[in-house]
């Protein structure tokens, strides 16, 4: 129907444009030079008659003389009017160019396929909703997605339609379509638990860290509202595990075990996941070993008393992640730093992969470096609990 209206409008415009080509040539009358001269003579003669000048007679005679000189002895031959058939090539060129541009810019095959998909959309939707109907192929799924997009243009507040389009996007591995559709559905109904979980699922699977954080936030909101929602707990556990928050993942899976029936087949998979997360947690929480040595100059000039501050700094921020304080003892000195030495609540030394280890020997016991204090720093290293990091005290604060 839409294509028919478009073609009809194009044809009507072509007819109107072709008609406009004939307008300048529609008149067949011409004004001759003789007629113009006579009209001018009559107008000038009336003006002279209104004058009482003594020279009027002479002026009339002069006007007549000039008129006779300008009138040719033989009348102009009548010009034959231009034939309208001469314009036929122009009209043909207009039609050919218009049709050519239309053919190049409009893919009729795709338009016809789109119209066919629109007609098939109700049938494909019924097959999706019917559990006994044969499953849709990937091609049929793509056609249904196109049909749903067309329908949602007219029904932008159809939450179920947006959610279904998002699921089709996930089935087709089209992350952009899925994310946009689920986001639209969630914004239409922020309290709809299914819309929230659908949107959160695509966010936690995204490669964008900001998406992951928003998805994790939505999942925590869903679990806070419903502690027994298996899907919300499962997605939260997956998100926590992927972000290496293994303790949170274990807590979510354990809550699932309390909700699931004893004979549920998913319990075995969850128990294996818990064991894997706990094993990973024990590895990540292994303390970081640091070996502190003194340069020859430091050995000769360092005071016997003082306080050692060992600071761990990540590569992304100069703010210390963990600090350990202990009295000066025998060197070389070996010590261990773990999550119990973190500076801020919620901070995790085990989440760092590389950074620097700084050592400061304070004379007055304050963490700020003062003049005369000895300091040392490692190079940028990857933290490995299995191998101690050696830091040499070799310089003195001026």
């Amino acid at each position: 129907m839409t294509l028919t209206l478009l073609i009809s409008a194009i044809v009507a415009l072509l007819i109107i444009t072709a008609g406009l080509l004939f307008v300048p040539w529609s008149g067949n009358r011409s004004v001759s030079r003789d007629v113009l001269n006579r009209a001018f003579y009559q107008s000038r003669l009336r003006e002279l008659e209104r004058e009482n000048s003594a020279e009027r007679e002479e002026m009339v005679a002069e006007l007549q003389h000039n008129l006779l000189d300008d009138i040719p002895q033989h009348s102009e031959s009548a010009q034959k009017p231009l034939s309208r058939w001469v314009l036929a090539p122009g009209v043909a060129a207009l039609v050919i160019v218009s049709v050519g541009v239309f053919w190049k810019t409009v893919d009729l095959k795709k338009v016809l396929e789109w119209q066919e998909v629109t007609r098939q959309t109700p049938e494909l939707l019924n097959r999706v909703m019917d559990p006994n109907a044969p499953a849709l192929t990937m091609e049929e799924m793509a056609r249904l997605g196109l049909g749903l997009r067309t329908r949602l243009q007219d029904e932008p507040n159809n939450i179920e339609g947006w959610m279904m389009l998002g699921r089709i996007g996930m089935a087709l591995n089209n992350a952009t379509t899925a994310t946009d559709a689920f986001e639209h559905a969630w914004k239409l109904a922020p309290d709809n638990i299914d819309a929230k979980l659908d949107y959160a699922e695509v966010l936690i699977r995204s490669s964008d860290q900001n998406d992951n954080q928003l998805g994790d936030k939505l999942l925590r909101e869903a679990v806070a509202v419903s502690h027994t929602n298996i899907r919300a707990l499962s997605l939260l556990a997956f998100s926590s595990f992927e972000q290496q928050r293994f303790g949170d993942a274990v807590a979510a899976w354990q809550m699932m075990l309390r909700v699931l029936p004893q004979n549920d087949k998913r319990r075995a998979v969850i128990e294996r996941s818990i064991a894997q997360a706990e094993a990973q947690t024990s590895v990540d929480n292994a303390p970081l070993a640091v070996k502190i040595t003194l340069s020859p100059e430091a050995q000769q000039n360092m005071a016997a008393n003082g306080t050692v501050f060992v600071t761990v700094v990540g590569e992304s921020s100069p703010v210390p992640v963990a600090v350990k304080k202990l009295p000066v003892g025998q060197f070389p000195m070996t010590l261990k730093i773990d999550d119990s030495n973190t500076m801020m609540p919620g901070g995790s030394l085990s989440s760092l992969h590389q950074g620097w280890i700084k050592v400061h020997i304070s004379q007055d016991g304050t963490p700020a470096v003062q003049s005369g204090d000895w300091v040392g720093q490692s190079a940028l290293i990857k933290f490995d609990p299995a191998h101690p990091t050696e830091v040499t005290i070799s310089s003195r604060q001026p």
Side-chain angles (χ1 to χ4, degrees):
M1 184 65 180
T2 305
L3 182 61
T4 304
L5 290 175
L6 177 61
I7 294 177
S8 301
I10 293 174
V11 171
L13 290 174
L14 282 176
I15 293 174
I16 294 172
T17 305
L20 292 175
L21 290 176
F22 290 92
V23 171
W25 313 101
S26 59
N28 56 7
R29 293 180 298 173
S30 62
V31 180
S32 67
R33 182 178 180 184
D34 187 18
V35 173
L36 290 175
N37 285 337
R38 290 180 186 278
F40 175 74
Y41 171 75
Q42 295 295 335
S43 175
R44 182 59 179 157
L45 186 61
R46 285 192 295 270
E47 292 178 359
L48 293 175
E49 287 177 352
R50 289 194 293 269
E51 297 181 2
N52 296 323
S53 174
E55 299 176 353
R56 184 173 65 84
E57 295 297 333
E58 294 180 5
M59 297 177 67
V60 171
E62 184 181 355
L63 178 63
Q64 292 175 347
H65 178 73
N66 293 335
L67 178 62
L68 290 174
D69 288 343
D70 196 51
I71 297 176
Q73 296 181 358
H74 301 285
S75 59
E76 296 179 358
S77 57
Q79 294 183 355
K80 184 178 180 181
L82 183 65
S83 174
R84 295 182 180 180
W85 289 106
V86 176
L87 302 175
V91 176
L94 174 65
V95 173
I96 292 173
V97 172
S98 301
V99 172
V101 171
F102 175 78
W103 190 264
K104 280 291 186 181
T105 56
V106 178
D107 194 334
L108 290 179
K109 181 179 179 181
K110 290 186 177 180
V111 173
L112 294 175
E113 289 178 353
W114 167 66
Q115 290 185 329
E116 179 64 21
V117 167
T118 304
R119 287 191 291 268
Q120 292 179 354
T121 299
E123 177 186 352
L124 295 175
L125 281 174
N126 291 334
R127 285 180 55 187
V128 170
M129 303 302 294
D130 186 359
N132 298 322
L136 269 63
T137 63
M138 297 301 289
E139 180 181 356
E140 290 174 332
M141 194 78 71
R143 294 168 72 87
L144 177 58
L146 178 58
L148 274 177
R149 282 183 176 275
T150 304
R151 175 175 292 190
L152 290 171
Q153 295 296 320
D154 299 325
E155 304 174 7
N157 295 326
N158 187 341
I159 300 174
E160 289 76 14
W162 286 110
M163 292 172 64
M164 181 169 291
L165 179 61
R167 295 187 183 107
I168 291 174
M170 293 188 69
L172 296 175
N173 199 25
N174 189 330
T176 301
T177 296
T179 303
D180 292 344
F182 284 141
E183 181 183 11
H184 205 112
W186 172 68
K187 287 183 176 179
L188 288 173
D191 296 329
N192 187 308
I193 189 66
D194 291 328
K196 179 176 290 188
L197 293 179
D198 284 341
Y199 185 38
E201 183 171 1
V202 295
L203 289 177
I204 63 175
R205 297 180 186 276
S206 170
S207 58
D208 190 328
Q209 186 176 3
N210 293 329
D211 289 345
N212 299 154
Q213 292 176 355
L214 177 56
D216 195 76
K217 176 177 177 293
L218 294 178
L219 290 174
R220 292 181 183 279
E221 291 177 356
V223 172
V225 173
S226 177
H227 298 286
T228 59
N229 190 308
I230 297 297
R231 185 187 176 196
L233 291 170
S234 177
L235 290 174
L236 181 59
F238 172 82
S239 175
S240 300
F241 190 88
E242 288 296 308
Q243 296 183 42
Q244 299 184 356
R245 298 196 313 270
F246 302 110
D248 293 343
V250 170
W253 278 320
Q254 288 176 343
M255 190 175 296
M256 288 180 64
L257 290 178
R258 290 194 292 269
V259 175
L260 290 174
Q262 291 296 325
N263 58 351
D264 195 298
K265 296 180 179 180
R266 291 173 290 182
R267 295 182 66 90
V269 177
I270 295 173
E271 289 170 353
R272 288 196 298 269
S273 299
I274 291 175
Q276 182 180 359
E278 288 178 341
Q280 190 68 42
T281 301
S282 63
V283 170
D284 284 350
N285 282 339
L288 185 64
V290 180
K291 182 179 180 180
I292 304 174
T293 60
L294 300 178
S295 67
E297 182 182 0
Q299 287 179 347
Q300 295 177 1
N301 298 287
M302 184 174 296
N305 298 323
T307 304
V308 179
F309 290 92
V310 181
T311 304
V312 181
V313 179
E315 61 175 337
S316 60
S317 173
V319 179
V321 177
V323 176
K324 188 165 186 175
K325 174 183 175 182
L326 66 161
V328 171
Q330 295 294 323
F331 292 95
M333 177 187 297
T334 302
L335 54 93
K336 294 182 179 180
I337 304 178
D338 55 27
D339 286 341
S340 64
N341 302 119
T342 53
M343 293 288 294
M344 300 176 62
S348 175
L349 180 63
S350 58
S351 63
L352 291 180
H353 298 289
Q354 60 182 10
W356 295 269
I357 296 179
K358 300 179 180 181
V359 178
H360 162 220
I361 300 180
S362 173
Q363 297 177 5
D364 58 3
T366 59
V369 179
Q370 305 292 332
S371 177
D373 291 348
W374 289 89
V375 294
Q377 177 178 320
S378 71
L380 178 64
I381 58 172
K382 290 186 177 181
F383 296 134
D384 184 3
H387 299 87
T389 300
E390 185 169 336
V391 180
T392 300
I393 306 296
S394 59
S395 61
R396 196 171 191 178
Q397 189 71 12

